[in-house]
Amino acid sequence: MSERFLRRALILWAIAALAAGIVASLKGADFAANWIWGVGAAPVIAALGVSIARDLLAGRMGVDAVALISMAAALVLGANLVAVVVAVMYAGGTVLEDFAVARAERELKALVGRAPRIAHRRRDQTVEEILAEDIRQDDVVLVKAGEIVPVDGILLSPVASLDESALTGEPIPVIRSAGEGVRSGAVNAGETFEMRTTATAVESTYAGIVRLVTAAQTAKAPFIRMADRYALLLLPVTLVLAGGAWLVSGDALRGLAVLVASTPCPLILAAPVAFIAGVSRAAKQGILMKGGGPIEALARVHTVLFDKTGTLTVGGARLVAVETAPGETADEVLRLAASLEQASQHTVAAAIVSAARARGLGLEIPQSVRETLGSGVEGTIGDKTVRAGSATLVYGNRRQEEWATRVSRRASWRAALCVFVSKDDRVIGALLLADELRRETPRALQALRAAGVSRMVMVTGDRAEAAETMAAALDLDAVLSERSPSEKVEAVANEQRQHPAMMVGDGINDAPALAAAGVGVAMGARGATASSEAAEVVILVDRLDRVADAVKIARRTRSIARQSIVAGMALSGVAMVAAAFGALTPVAAAITQEGIDVLVILNALRALFSGERTSPRSLAISPEALREEHDTLDQGLNRLREITDALDDASGERAISLITEANALVQRSVVVHERRDEASVYPRLSAQLTDPSALAAMSRAHREIDHLARLLLRLSTGLRAEDADRYLVRDAQRIIESIEALVRLHNAQEEDIYEQAMPT
């Protein structure tokens, strides 16, 4: 029989006995009523005695001791009604506490279920299917397309394309060459390859991740009720005051009244009720907290460690730029590539197709498609032969043009994947795909600072260049890159030794670190994974700023719980003094204590609300609508970036056409949007802000954008082909680049201000 079941049975038993005794008393059967109340209290006393004995053996002392003494004393003195009332209060408090602090079971189903079960071992000219656990070191193993690498090894095939996101968190597949190491847990994203094993299944990387999660969870200390911290003070004071009242008055019932008045139901109830309220409020915002323990841990967080991919970033390949050969257009390059990629199941292909559809490009059905896994795709679009993939696939043995070399260099420093596109053997452009910051990431980090977090660290398995490039745009205190799951655990442990630390991640590779942290927070909007199982807190919506909300809710909840405890103790103290002087009988003391309980519960329920004042006025436009407008505007900004790049090689009529296009785009899109905001949105927005002067800088940005737009208009008006010398092109590039960068920054700041102005 579980302890949780026993506690529920005890509260039902005590309530039934109290009700039955009241019925018997009303019918005049006082002896029977007293006997029923005693029978109702006895099991609760026995169970509590066993619990206290177990705690004492473990070196702990809680507030439960006061409840045990008061119930036992009531039975000894024949005040069985008092005993059963206290029993109901105590048993009810423990059930509430069970509900608040019980943690969801941390099953490793997602982690263990993903582990490879079978492998294909080659013996001479035959291939046999065996259990992964039967693989031995130096075996030759075949890994087929789409299979998970069963053990660690060395690649024997010339090349392999591997999805290592389960290990590093990096979503873009990596290419491994013969002689390089291959780790278990990676997925074969290319063609079948051979490898020579260097470890057994038990000794391999993926099995190590499972062991790390299990060990970290086992090492966690159990959550101790906040109320227990006050027990060492309450217990001796209660006993001394009750004993003194008895000795001075000579009336044992006066001492019992003191004990009943001191029954720590406010302490027993305060934290669980506040924690339940906090958990409920968090759930409304898409934050799942697994009980009361994570709330207290979150409230004490000093340091936050973030994984990069999928946590600080969107967690997948996104089209960040379309580079074109001279004379080609970005839309045509993307349209042909996306039409072809419709026939591929690769994650990069899905990103390309999605980007083309977002631009409203009409795609064609490809014919005669042939995919070289890990390299790219080729086929026929209409009457054109199109290839999309690596430079090797598209160029073959030919030398790259100057523009393509420049594109490869840009892809390198932007930590992006480069997909070249050719039409009838002529390379016409390249697509750059990379991970990118979540839109709300800067705001989320600022909110964590405001919530009281002192230190923030990025810890990632990604390359140093990519990690530091991403971190440069954020308010971080440290960047730890190229960290394996075990090294992530070590980094978390180091921070935890210094201050209470929280780890935020989303991948299987983050599970050990999440389990090892003081509190683990999983970005679980994309489905249940091992990280969600290992974490105490799961963010159910795909929003990083909910992490800051979780910290705020936890700190407010803990503060309210502490207020309730202190207020309950103070009121109980007053009742104890009154009982000591004979102003309260034991039953009156029990009723008084019930009143205190109600006040404590009502105060604890304040954790259901944010505590922040809200304004009844509405904004001129919702943050969601504003983001949609900015998304539309981003399409134009992306085109401005493409125009800037295309001007590198443009001259004459081509340069004039590009500059004219940029001016038209700025005048009809950017300028119209900013002027509308200044005229109609900002006046209403200023009324929502506690400091309306915060919009002064935003209005200054509007004026600067308008100024740059006027400069571009003047520059582009009346241009002739012979005017497009390198100095004019350079000036145009500078203006267009300034507008694009300033509008992007301005939009991000605008969204931050809108989020702050929204009623909570």
Side-chain angles (χ1 to χ4, degrees):
M1 182 185 298
S2 68
E3 288 191 14
R4 189 174 299 176
F5 177 82
L6 177 61
R7 289 175 179 177
R8 291 175 181 174
L10 288 175
I11 181 62
L12 293 175
W13 177 266
I15 290 174
L18 176 61
I22 291 174
V23 171
S25 179
L26 291 175
K27 291 184 176 181
D30 293 337
F31 177 80
N34 202 47
W35 182 83
I36 292 172
W37 288 329
V39 170
V44 178
I45 295 173
L48 181 54
V50 172
S51 176
I52 290 176
R54 188 167 55 235
D55 286 346
L56 289 174
L57 291 175
R60 297 194 303 268
M61 169 67 74
V63 296
D64 298 345
V66 179
L68 176 64
I69 293 172
S70 62
M71 286 188 287
L75 285 182
V76 169
L77 297 174
N80 293 0
L81 173 60
V82 175
V84 77
V85 168
V86 175
V88 169
M89 290 190 295
Y90 172 78
T94 59
V95 169
L96 283 174
E97 185 181 34
D98 280 342
F99 180 78
V101 304
R103 298 187 180 195
E105 293 182 356
R106 294 177 176 179
E107 301 176 10
L108 302 180
K109 291 180 180 177
L111 194 61
V112 178
R114 187 182 180 278
R117 299 283 195 278
I118 62 171
H120 306 285
R121 182 169 60 189
R122 183 165 67 80
R123 289 285 179 87
D124 298 325
Q125 299 303 314
T126 62
V127 176
E128 57 181 346
E129 186 176 287
I130 63 172
L131 295 175
E133 61 192 42
D134 292 334
I135 295 176
R136 296 293 177 262
Q137 190 170 337
D138 291 328
D139 281 347
V140 175
V141 173
L142 271 69
V143 183
K144 299 180 180 181
E147 287 187 342
I148 299 174
V149 178
V151 296
D152 297 348
I154 299 296
L155 186 63
L156 298 178
S157 299
V159 68
S161 177
L162 297 171
D163 176 1
E164 297 184 344
S165 59
L167 303 174
T168 67
E170 183 59 33
I172 298 176
V174 298
I175 304 300
R176 299 292 181 198
S177 302
E180 290 191 73
V182 178
R183 292 184 290 174
S184 63
V187 178
N188 182 5
E191 298 177 331
T192 299
F193 64 82
E194 287 188 348
M195 56 177 279
R196 186 176 299 278
T197 64
T198 57
T200 64
V202 175
E203 298 167 340
S204 291
T205 302
Y206 198 78
I209 294 177
V210 176
R211 287 195 299 273
L212 284 169
V213 175
T214 305
Q217 290 176 335
T218 303
K220 277 188 175 293
F223 174 68
I224 300 174
R225 290 196 309 258
M226 185 187 299
D228 289 343
R229 300 169 190 168
Y230 302 90
L232 293 178
L233 172 65
L234 179 64
L235 183 58
V237 169
T238 299
L239 293 177
V240 169
L241 188 57
W246 184 2
L247 290 174
V248 172
S249 66
D251 184 0
L253 290 178
R254 185 173 294 189
L256 176 61
V258 172
L259 289 174
V260 172
S262 71
T263 300
C265 290
L267 300 185
I268 295 170
L269 293 172
V273 171
F275 287 164
I276 290 171
V279 169
S280 176
R281 172 159 174 75
K284 291 179 181 178
Q285 295 188 239
I287 305 166
L288 172 62
M289 295 186 180
K290 299 179 181 179
I295 291 183
E296 185 166 10
L298 275 173
R300 294 185 290 108
V301 163
H302 173 279
T303 301
V304 180
L305 297 98
F306 294 96
D307 174 51
K308 181 179 79 70
T309 306
T311 302
L312 295 175
T313 69
V314 294
R318 297 290 190 278
L319 181 68
V320 295
V322 181
E323 305 281 356
T324 61
E328 300 293 339
T329 65
D331 281 355
E332 180 63 8
V333 171
L334 179 57
R335 187 188 73 81
L336 288 174
S339 295
L340 184 60
E341 295 286 5
Q342 290 179 104
S344 173
Q345 297 299 315
H346 201 284
T347 54
V348 171
I352 294 172
V353 173
S354 176
R357 287 175 175 163
R359 295 193 184 193
L361 302 180
L363 305 184
E364 299 180 49
I365 301 299
Q367 304 294 330
S368 304
V369 177
R370 184 170 71 256
E371 182 169 8
T372 304
L373 295 176
S375 295
V377 189
E378 57 184 304
T380 303
I381 306 295
D383 60 351
K384 306 175 185 68
T385 299
V386 179
R387 290 188 181 91
S390 66
T392 302
L393 175 73
V394 175
Y395 274 97
N397 296 324
R398 290 177 293 163
R399 184 175 181 178
Q400 292 185 10
E401 299 95 336
E402 182 179 347
W403 72 267
T405 302
R406 186 170 65 243
V407 167
S408 297
R409 185 170 60 248
R410 284 178 178 172
S412 176
W413 63 257
R414 293 179 73 167
L417 177 69
C418 188
V419 177
F420 285 97
V421 182
S422 71
K423 178 177 64 176
D424 291 335
D425 288 330
R426 178 177 177 271
V427 183
I428 60 173
L431 310 177
L432 269 58
L433 297 105
D435 203 0
E436 60 184 6
L437 276 178
R438 291 174 179 268
R439 171 175 275 161
E440 74 274 11
T441 293
R443 180 172 64 252
L445 300 190
Q446 292 171 3
L448 279 169
R449 295 280 190 198
V453 172
S454 300
R455 177 173 166 80
M456 289 187 283
V457 180
M458 177 197 292
V459 54
T460 176
D462 204 357
R463 302 183 307 278
E465 297 84 355
E468 290 175 5
T469 298
M470 196 70 71
L474 301 174
D475 180 22
L476 296 173
D477 298 295
V479 178
L480 306 177
S481 57
E482 300 181 16
R483 301 299 172 105
S484 66
S486 59
E487 289 171 331
K488 284 187 178 183
V489 172
E490 183 180 350
V492 170
N494 287 338
E495 296 290 346
Q496 183 71 27
R497 279 192 289 269
Q498 299 176 54
H499 300 285
M502 171 172 70
M503 175 69 192
V504 185
D506 80 315
I508 291 175
N509 60 298
D510 300 321
L514 291 171
V519 58
V521 178
M523 304 296 293
R526 295 171 187 169
T529 64
S531 61
S532 299
E533 299 291 343
E536 289 90 353
V537 179
V538 181
I539 307 299
L540 300 176
V541 293
D542 200 21
R543 294 283 299 274
L544 183 63
D545 50 8
R546 291 293 191 266
V547 176
D549 292 339
V551 173
K552 292 177 184 176
I553 291 170
R555 295 198 171 182
R556 173 172 167 78
T557 298
R558 185 170 180 264
S559 174
I560 289 173
R562 181 167 288 167
Q563 291 170 10
S564 298
I565 288 172
V566 172
M569 289 181 64
L571 292 173
S572 293
V574 172
M576 288 165 61
V577 171
F581 283 96
L584 292 175
T585 64
V587 173
I591 295 172
T592 300
Q593 190 58 246
E594 283 293 332
I596 295 173
D597 292 348
V598 171
L599 292 176
V600 165
I601 290 173
L602 290 176
N603 184 68
L605 288 175
R606 289 171 46 230
L608 282 170
F609 311 101
S610 68
E612 300 174 0
R613 294 182 178 179
T614 60
S615 172
R617 296 186 58 184
S618 61
L619 296 174
I621 182 174
S622 70
E624 293 75 16
L626 182 73
R627 280 194 292 270
E628 290 179 3
E629 285 192 10
H630 287 173
D631 287 341
T632 302
L633 199 59
D634 279 347
Q635 297 178 21
L637 298 179
N638 291 337
R639 180 55 186 158
L640 288 181
R641 180 181 291 173
E642 293 167 2
I643 290 172
T644 303
D645 292 341
L647 284 171
D648 286 344
D649 302 310
S651 61
E653 290 290 347
R654 175 61 176 161
I656 298 303
S657 174
L658 289 170
I659 294 171
T660 302
E661 181 188 352
N663 175 64
L665 196 156
V666 168
Q667 300 303 326
R668 72 171 181 262
S669 179
V670 174
V671 172
V672 170
H673 173 80
E674 304 302 345
R675 287 179 178 174
R676 184 188 66 81
D677 280 358
E678 186 68 30
S680 61
V681 177
Y682 279 27
R684 295 188 65 180
L685 180 59
S686 64
Q688 300 291 113
L689 301 174
T690 54
D691 181 14
S693 64
L695 288 178
M698 303 298 289
S699 294
R700 175 71 179 85
H702 281 167
R703 292 193 294 274
E704 183 62 25
I705 292 169
D706 192 65
H707 170 66
L708 290 169
R710 290 176 186 275
L711 290 180
L712 184 60
L713 177 63
R714 291 176 187 172
L715 184 147
S716 61
T717 301
L719 277 180
R720 298 168 300 173
E722 54 267 29
D723 296 330
D725 57 28
R726 62 191 181 93
Y727 300 106
L728 179 113
V729 171
R730 183 185 62 188
D731 288 342
Q733 282 181 306
R734 287 176 175 173
I735 295 173
I736 296 169
E737 283 181 333
S738 297
I739 292 174
E740 186 250 342
L742 182 55
V743 172
R744 287 188 191 277
L745 176 62
H746 176 71
N747 287 351
Q749 292 173 327
E750 202 168 60
E751 289 174 15
D752 289 347
I753 290 177
Y754 259 70
E755 290 288 345
Q756 295 170 13
M758 275 297 291
T760 55

